[in-house]
Amino acid sequence: QVTVNGQSREVSEGTTLAQLLDELKLPTKYYAVEVNLEVIPRREHSQRRLCAGDRLEIVTLVEEVEMAEGAAS
């Protein structure tokens, strides 16, 4: 079991960060992931195996185009 943004989630032993992110079906490709207070670079997501008790924070980022549209409103 891991914690994702404060919510408990069951994961199988050996699940990688990339697999979990795929399961979550994030609505954007712009996000940052922190595991146990360490930012994990995207290139390491497929190698980073999750362990019981890991605490993840996933922060989605707003695309620049959306920011520009909001500023123009």
Side-chain angles (χ1 to χ4, degrees), residues 3 5 18 27 31 33 39 42 46 50-51 58 68-69 72:
T3 303
N5 291 358
Y31 54 84
V33 182
V39 175
R42 190 175 299 261
S46 61
L50 300 174
C51 300
I58 302 171
E69 288 175 356

Side-chain angles (χ1 to χ4, degrees), residues 30-45:
Y30 301 100
Y31 54 84
V33 182
E34 183 181 275
V35 178
N36 302 325
L37 304 177
E38 176 188 354
V39 175
I40 308 299
R42 190 175 299 261
R43 68 181 177 276
E44 295 177 17
H45 288 184

Side-chain angles (χ1 to χ4, degrees), residues 6-73:
Q7 301 290 319
S8 293
R9 184 174 182 92
E10 292 293 328
V11 294
S12 302
E13 187 174 332
T15 298
T16 65
L17 179 54
Q19 290 169 322
L20 175 63
L21 293 170
D22 193 44
E23 287 177 21
L24 293 174
K25 299 184 184 341
L26 297 175
T28 179
K29 63 182 178 180
Y30 301 100
Y31 54 84
V33 182
E34 183 181 275
V35 178
N36 302 325
L37 304 177
E38 176 188 354
V39 175
I40 308 299
R42 190 175 299 261
R43 68 181 177 276
E44 295 177 17
H45 288 184
S46 61
Q47 290 90 28
R48 178 61 160 83
R49 299 213 179 272
L50 300 174
C51 300
D54 279 348
R55 299 183 64 81
L56 292 79
E57 291 295 327
I58 302 171
V59 180
T60 57
L61 307 173
V62 179
E63 293 183 60
E64 190 172 325
V65 173
E66 291 175 352
M67 289 174 50
E69 288 175 356
S73 299

